[in-house]
Amino acid sequence: MRYRAVFLCLLLISCRAAQEDLCEGDGSSSLQVKHQAAEEAGQPPNRVVNRITYDTHYGVATYDTGMVNRTTYEDTTCLSSHINGADNFAFDIAPDQRTVVYRDDAQLGFADITDPYSPAGTGLSTSFWNPDEVAVKDDTFALAIRQDQLIVVNITSQTSVHTIELGERANDITISPDRTIAAITTDGSYMVQVNISDSDPVAWTTQVISDITNITYDGPKVEIRADNIAVLTLNSNSIIILNLTDATILDRFSAGEVNLTGIDTVEDKLYDLDFDGFINLNSSLTDVKREPWGVAWLGDSSFFATADRESRGFSIFNQSGELIFTSGNQLDHLAVSLGHYPDASSDSTSIDVRNVEFGTVDGCQMLFVQCIRASLTFVFEVSDPSRPEFLQVLPAIRRPVQGKVVPDRHLFVSMSVGGSFFSDQDSGLELYQCSRWPRQFPFLESGDAGDGTPIPWTQVAGLTGEEDGTLYGIEGGEMEVQTQILVIDSQQQPPLVTETIPVTYPNGTLVEDLESQGIERIPSGFAIVEESGRLHLLSTSGVLQASLEVQVFDSLSGVAYDPSLGLLLTDTSGFVQLCDVQPACGLSNFSYTLDARESQDTDGAVELRDVAALGNGTFLFLETDGQGSFDAAVGRIYKAELPQSGGSFSKSLVADFLLDLVDLRGQVLKGFDSLAVTGHVGDGEGRRMWIVNDNEGYQAFSYETRLIPLRAPLD
């Protein structure tokens, strides 16, 4: 099981109290002080990462981008072999606010989050197998449902101590705030209510609330208010209000329908693969059933929120069924602006809103809305249920399916699932905590187009920069999506995509299927390279002017322009060639010696991933091993002057950025494929290097794109 601690700070004025009394008395204050002291001393804080053979630091050099900081750890009881690819995960937190009980496909696990900066696994229950859901009664007992059974587990001994037969296959369990009732939804037409008030599980009794129809396996979710009034959502687009004190149904009503505009409803595919980058927010849908999935009471009020899977958002109702608020296309638009929109799901549930969770932290009433296909959790302030105010968005390991607020410790704990076997990020627990530290997500977002919708983008396959701070990113790469150039204002915080330039043929049709790997500014426009071995020259408006097949040993990876020399093209193997802008290549060839493999993964060979020109025949070269998470070992930038034709570059180290990225507080993603430089030549201290860390846009992984600035003397 992987544990990722993510620290957030809410800057909304109405929630400013959440910043005033942080990390007090919970074990994290000392680490925060240690971190600050280390920064003042010019040293990065030490981080210990379990289950790896080397120590390293993950993060990003300190700079102000907003509200989120993160740390990733992996427990030595790593369960990735069990949990990869699964959707039906669950967890709960004991009243001590330090013990987490979670389930995977095989068994129950236990974790200690006393220090949220360093969560640790404490064991696995082997007394029974294949639990479906889990909830914690108190600091002594956890309740797991397995098919048609309720299994009581002693948290200390991590063994089962009692079993209750339910009569039907169960699929959800919730404990009442007073810890006296366990509400269990089943596949049948009833809900089982278990009286768990006695300290001895043998004395617990069951009661059935019948006439709850249309419950299916992947449907019902129940949430209980402090007065034991429960709200239940059903796949039939229905909502039921129940009184658990006397086991009666108080009300039942439809969740209703939504009309949506300014959305993408077409799942465009290339080569029949489940991805593409044709995001067009120009469609609409009418009378879309909400079909709520998750549900949460807004504290002790008469309002509750629903996660509306089919209608792509969330809604707030009062107890009588009156609609107070619905989010419309807001979440879709936020996901698009962050590069997290899953276009392959445009014809169905889009970002797939699965869960909502409410919590009050120092007077700030927050609603967390979790979207599994966008790998995001959106945070809203809901003191006025009719006008939720967007605060920020939290990135997830992969698919955030459940969350819990720990208000006294200023924590939000989330579980992500669905990591691919080939992904560098598996399923795991994520911890977010209020902090005064500047946020670090997003690292890149887009502004609005002329019609008021966000500018669509998916990933950055190549990057180049100009002296005025403008960056140009090329989309494409192995995604083979619509190729467009992103114009990025790097002086904004976070950097902002201000416009896109489509890559077209002279007749105006779009150039598709380019496996773009690098981009460079040239006097006539742009030069881009494809990994398969093609060099393309474009006008400043993105019109294709010329193309040329070039010599390739492995795959093209980067391109840089020096006015006195021409274009320098790199191959991942270390083969480098000089071209002109006619274009003609092979004018001179060079060799570049790569570092040796250091990754614990035997496939982690070091490759030459990009190049950037510094002028006067001097270049920067980006070397990485293409590995993510704890397998990443090499991420370095070297400087070298162009040798004589046929010669070999003599390189000197500029940045070992896996060691320098001390504040990212998240797992290293697989791709470091892009390098750029901004600032004026001769202004060494003012010049800045930029790298991109991402998962190359694959929908099997996280969508997160990190545009990271690095400072180092370059002149």
Side-chain angles (χ1 to χ4, degrees):
M1 168 62 81
R2 304 204 175 209
Y3 306 98
R4 174 185 184 179
V6 185
F7 309 96
L8 67 110
C9 175
L10 302 175
L11 302 181
L12 199 69
I13 292 177
S14 60
C15 296
R16 193 167 296 278
Q19 303 176 66
E20 300 301 327
D21 186 22
L22 306 177
C23 305
E24 294 294 330
D26 65 1
S28 61
S29 56
S30 60
L31 182 66
Q32 192 156 343
V33 171
K34 178 180 178 181
H35 173 92
Q36 292 169 345
E39 279 191 337
E40 291 169 0
Q43 301 173 350
N46 183 42
R47 299 204 182 100
V48 177
V49 182
N50 295 322
R51 205 186 67 85
I52 60 174
T53 57
Y54 56 89
D55 289 334
T56 187
H57 306 285
Y58 300 93
V60 65
T62 303
Y63 65 105
D64 185 4
T65 56
M67 294 185 280
V68 174
N69 295 305
R70 298 175 281 185
T71 305
T72 302
Y73 300 89
E74 181 168 9
D75 179 33
T76 51
T77 61
C78 179
L79 302 179
S80 59
S81 60
H82 295 300
I83 63 181
N84 280 342
D87 271 346
N88 52 343
F89 275 62
F91 79 97
D92 202 0
I93 301 174
D96 68 2
Q97 300 186 13
R98 284 157 171 75
T99 302
V100 175
V101 183
Y102 62 89
R103 63 157 304 281
D104 63 19
D105 275 351
Q107 55 202 313
L108 285 186
F110 302 84
D112 182 359
I113 60 170
T114 298
D115 183 352
Y117 289 71
S118 183
T122 57
L124 300 169
S125 175
T126 58
S127 61
F128 70 99
W129 299 90
N130 300 317
D132 295 311
E133 298 285 340
V134 65
V136 176
K137 175 190 182 298
D138 51 31
D139 294 333
T140 303
F141 296 117
L143 282 62
I145 54 176
R146 182 184 64 178
Q147 298 185 359
D148 60 353
Q149 295 178 324
L150 175 65
I151 300 174
V152 184
V153 179
N154 183 289
I155 294 176
T156 302
S157 66
Q158 300 179 357
T159 59
S160 59
V161 295
H162 186 57
T163 299
I164 298 174
E165 299 295 331
L166 301 173
E168 287 276 1
R169 184 183 180 98
N171 49 54
D172 189 48
I173 180 171
T174 302
I175 305 294
S176 62
D178 62 8
R179 310 283 174 172
T180 64
I181 296 173
I184 303 171
T185 59
T186 72
D187 287 353
S189 60
Y190 62 86
M191 186 175 76
V192 178
Q193 177 177 311
V194 184
N195 185 331
I196 59 173
S197 58
D198 198 285
S199 60
D200 183 1
V202 177
W204 295 355
T205 59
T206 62
Q207 184 174 9
V208 170
I209 302 178
S210 60
D211 194 30
I212 301 176
T213 57
N214 298 315
I215 297 181
T216 58
Y217 177 73
D218 60 352
K221 300 293 179 182
V222 62
E223 181 80 2
I224 307 172
R225 201 168 58 194
D227 58 0
N228 288 333
I229 300 298
V231 56
L232 177 71
T233 58
L234 304 178
N235 268 357
S236 60
N237 203 39
S238 297
I239 297 172
I240 298 176
I241 306 296
L242 310 99
N243 186 340
L244 299 185
T245 301
D246 57 11
T248 59
I249 296 176
L250 300 179
D251 201 357
R252 178 172 184 161
F253 46 85
S254 170
E257 293 80 31
V258 177
N259 294 329
L260 297 170
T261 60
I263 59 173
D264 189 346
T265 61
V266 179
E267 178 186 337
D268 303 302
K269 293 185 179 182
L270 298 175
Y271 308 127
D272 294 324
L273 298 177
D274 291 333
F275 52 68
D276 103 311
F278 292 86
I279 301 172
N280 298 302
L281 302 176
N282 55 8
S283 299
S284 61
L285 292 171
T286 58
D287 300 326
V288 181
K289 291 183 178 180
R290 286 187 171 84
E291 295 192 13
W293 196 271
V295 62
W297 287 106
L298 303 188
D300 296 335
S301 73
S302 61
F303 302 99
F304 61 88
T306 59
D308 304 332
R309 189 182 184 198
E310 289 298 318
S311 61
R312 311 181 177 206
F314 72 98
S315 299
I316 297 177
F317 297 85
N318 64 22
Q319 186 173 322
S320 63
E322 179 186 0
L323 178 66
I324 304 300
F325 172 84
T326 193
S327 62
N329 62 20
Q330 184 180 13
L331 301 188
D332 266 15
H333 283 199
L334 286 170
V336 169
S337 71
L338 297 168
H340 277 243
Y341 183 80
D343 187 65
S345 303
S346 288
D347 65 342
S348 55
T349 57
S350 173
I351 57 177
D352 206 343
V353 186
R354 288 286 188 99
N355 186 55
V356 286
E357 185 72 19
F358 173 84
T360 300
V361 178
D362 280 350
C364 179
Q365 299 180 41
M366 292 181 282
L367 182 69
F368 298 82
V369 183
Q370 300 187 287
C371 307
I372 66 170
R373 287 183 177 158
S375 303
L376 294 173
T377 296
F378 298 98
V379 188
F380 289 83
E381 201 277 334
V382 290
S383 58
D384 180 353
S386 66
R387 298 181 62 186
E389 188 162 0
F390 173 66
L391 297 180
Q392 70 175 113
V393 62
L394 309 176
I397 290 175
R398 180 58 185 98
R399 297 158 64 95
V401 294
Q402 188 180 10
K404 298 288 182 181
V405 179
V406 188
D408 293 342
R409 300 188 62 205
H410 312 97
L411 288 174
F412 176 67
V413 183
S414 176
M415 174 170 278
S416 281
V417 303
S420 163
F421 177 78
F422 298 101
S423 172
D424 53 13
Q425 291 185 311
D426 297 322
S427 308
L429 276 178
E430 298 153 289
L431 287 83
Y432 306 75
Q433 186 178 53
C434 288
S435 170
R436 295 187 186 89
W437 297 2
R439 76 174 179 182
Q440 292 187 322
F441 183 86
F443 293 85
L444 176 65
E445 63 183 349
S446 66
D448 288 344
D451 61 359
T453 62
I455 298 171
W457 66 282
T458 55
Q459 45 107 218
V460 179
L463 192 71
T464 188
E466 296 197 307
E467 290 185 348
D468 65 359
T470 301
L471 292 168
Y472 297 94
I474 185 73
E475 286 196 286
E478 296 182 17
M479 285 287 292
E480 296 176 331
V481 299
Q482 172 186 345
T483 305
Q484 63 179 1
I485 297 170
L486 309 178
V487 182
I488 302 168
D489 182 354
S490 71
Q491 299 186 44
Q492 298 291 323
Q493 296 294 345
L496 186 71
V497 177
T498 58
E499 64 175 303
T500 59
I501 302 172
V503 178
T504 65
Y505 293 105
N507 64 5
T509 60
L510 294 174
V511 177
E512 299 177 8
D513 312 338
L514 291 182
E515 299 178 4
S516 308
Q517 288 297 315
I519 183 172
E520 176 65 300
R521 283 288 269 136
I522 58 177
S524 60
F526 300 94
I528 61 174
V529 293
E530 288 190 80
E531 64 177 359
S532 58
R534 293 182 66 85
L535 168 66
H536 303 283
L537 302 185
L538 314 175
S539 70
T540 55
S541 58
V543 178
L544 185 62
Q545 303 294 302
S547 297
L548 178 69
E549 293 279 354
V550 302
Q551 185 177 8
V552 176
F553 284 88
D554 190 352
S555 63
L556 286 183
S557 59
V559 56
Y561 176 71
D562 186 312
S564 64
L565 298 170
L567 292 168
L568 197 71
L569 275 59
T570 57
D571 187 290
T572 55
S573 66
F575 173 69
V576 180
Q577 58 187 305
L578 191 62
C579 308
D580 63 27
V581 294
Q582 297 305 314
C585 283
L587 305 179
S588 297
N589 298 329
F590 313 91
S591 63
Y592 180 95
T593 302
L594 295 162
D595 288 353
R597 178 180 67 84
E598 298 178 26
S599 173
Q600 62 187 6
D601 190 323
T602 56
D603 293 328
V606 178
E607 296 181 325
L608 181 55
R609 298 305 311 178
D610 203 0
V611 60
L614 293 178
N616 300 318
T618 303
F619 297 87
L620 295 177
F621 296 91
L622 173 65
E623 295 185 36
T624 74
D625 54 22
Q627 301 300 302
S629 190
F630 307 108
D631 291 333
V634 175
R636 298 178 184 131
I637 298 172
Y638 289 95
K639 182 166 65 173
E641 294 183 358
L642 191 71
Q644 296 295 319
S645 179
S648 179
F649 286 92
S650 177
K651 63 186 185 181
S652 60
L653 183 65
V654 173
D656 191 339
F657 53 80
L658 287 186
L659 296 176
D660 291 339
L661 307 183
V662 297
D663 273 342
L664 190 59
R665 300 195 172 274
Q667 294 193 65
V668 175
L669 305 177
K670 292 187 68 152
F672 281 103
D673 299 333
S674 303
L675 169 67
V677 177
T678 57
H680 294 279
V681 175
D683 185 10
E685 293 299 320
R687 303 186 81 185
R688 175 174 289 185
M689 297 180 295
W690 298 84
I691 55 175
V692 175
N693 183 212
D694 64 12
N695 275 316
E696 298 169 341
Y698 285 107
Q699 295 199 20
F701 305 158
S702 165
Y703 287 94
E704 189 172 349
T705 295
R706 301 166 180 165
L707 177 59
I708 302 169
L710 301 171
R711 287 189 182 275
L714 296 178
D715 300 322

